Amino acid sequence: MAGFRRGGAAAALLVCALLLTACGGGSETSADRETGPGRFLKPPTNLCESVDPAPFVAEYGTPRPGEDHLEATVRDCSFEFEGRMGSAPYFLDLFADFRPSVEDARSSFARMRDKPSDDRFSALATVKKLGDAAFAFDEEPNDHEVRSILVVRQSNLVVTVWWDDTVYGSGPDRSEEHRNQIRSKLANYAASALTRLATTP
């Protein structure tokens, strides 16, 4: 799993997001009528300086300095939080895909949402009041790991954020309450990132 978390995070995260359960979640809003190049025109060189992991800091502590990955108009930032007893480090990744137009971003988002199902993934859940459209799901690649993933589109930007929760022994907390708490943190993190990236010079 190291390739997902460090040097290959951007490409691996995109592959992960393209293997989703097809159940119609996260549909575009009828009020979204924007066309053209969109509002996000210049990807930041240092994405980690443009985003803030604050939604996770109160519960998980201050992470190590974020690690940036650059790939043309794609940016990826990974934060590593110290693990607790019985757990590996927690990873918070944000993958920002700056598409050349709103229409291209809309098509990319739709492809990510409508891929065939895979039994590692939970059903998609629509996330309301976040960007122009958003959906979330969980991935369970093995008995001791759960990734909570959220994908959101705003204008010509498609952002994917995930939280990697790996606990050995008893396994991670799979309760609905905990998964909802993580999803709420991811939504707050994504919303903050969208605001910051919209004003990045």
Side-chain angles (χ1 to χ4, degrees):
M1 305 311 300
F4 273 82
R5 295 165 178 158
R6 295 181 178 83
L13 184 52
L14 179 59
V15 170
C16 176
L18 290 173
L19 294 172
L20 307 183
T21 306
C23 60
S27 59
E28 302 283 343
T29 62
S30 59
D32 176 25
R33 298 283 188 262
E34 186 180 7
T35 60
R39 288 168 275 166
F40 298 87
L41 303 180
K42 187 177 179 182
T45 301
N46 299 308
L47 179 62
C48 289
E49 294 180 1
S50 302
V51 297
D52 184 358
F56 291 86
V57 169
E59 184 172 352
Y60 296 94
T62 302
R64 295 180 181 178
E67 181 179 342
D68 280 291
H69 306 102
L70 312 178
E71 193 174 314
T73 58
V74 173
R75 298 293 184 265
D76 173 45
C77 175
S78 178
F79 289 103
E80 180 179 333
F81 293 77
E82 184 176 352
R84 298 168 179 168
M85 185 177 298
S87 71
Y90 300 103
F91 289 91
L92 174 64
D93 281 272
L94 186 146
F95 178 90
D97 188 3
F98 292 75
R99 309 304 296 178
S101 69
V102 175
E103 293 84 356
D104 188 86
R106 192 177 284 118
S107 295
S108 177
F109 181 88
R111 289 193 300 270
M112 295 169 75
R113 185 186 63 226
D114 293 332
K115 284 295 175 180
S117 63
D118 186 301
D119 59 10
R120 292 175 299 164
F121 298 103
S122 68
L124 302 189
T126 298
V127 179
K128 299 179 179 180
K129 299 181 181 180
L130 180 61
D132 295 317
F135 61 87
F137 63 99
D138 291 333
E139 179 194 9
E140 298 192 36
N142 50 58
D143 291 340
H144 55 260
E145 185 173 12
V146 176
R147 294 191 193 102
S148 296
I149 303 170
L150 182 148
V151 182
V152 55
R153 183 190 71 81
Q154 182 164 313
S155 191
N156 63 307
L157 177 62
V158 180
V159 167
T160 304
V161 292
W162 75 4
W163 176 257
D164 194 307
D165 191 356
T166 302
V167 179
Y168 298 100
S170 61
D173 187 343
R174 289 178 166 83
S175 68
E176 183 176 357
E177 179 181 11
H178 180 69
R179 300 326 317 169
N180 286 339
Q181 289 173 351
I182 294 296
R183 186 167 294 177
S184 177
K185 293 178 190 294
L186 287 175
N188 289 336
Y189 180 48
S192 172
L194 289 172
T195 299
R196 288 166 175 263
L197 291 173
T199 58
T200 299

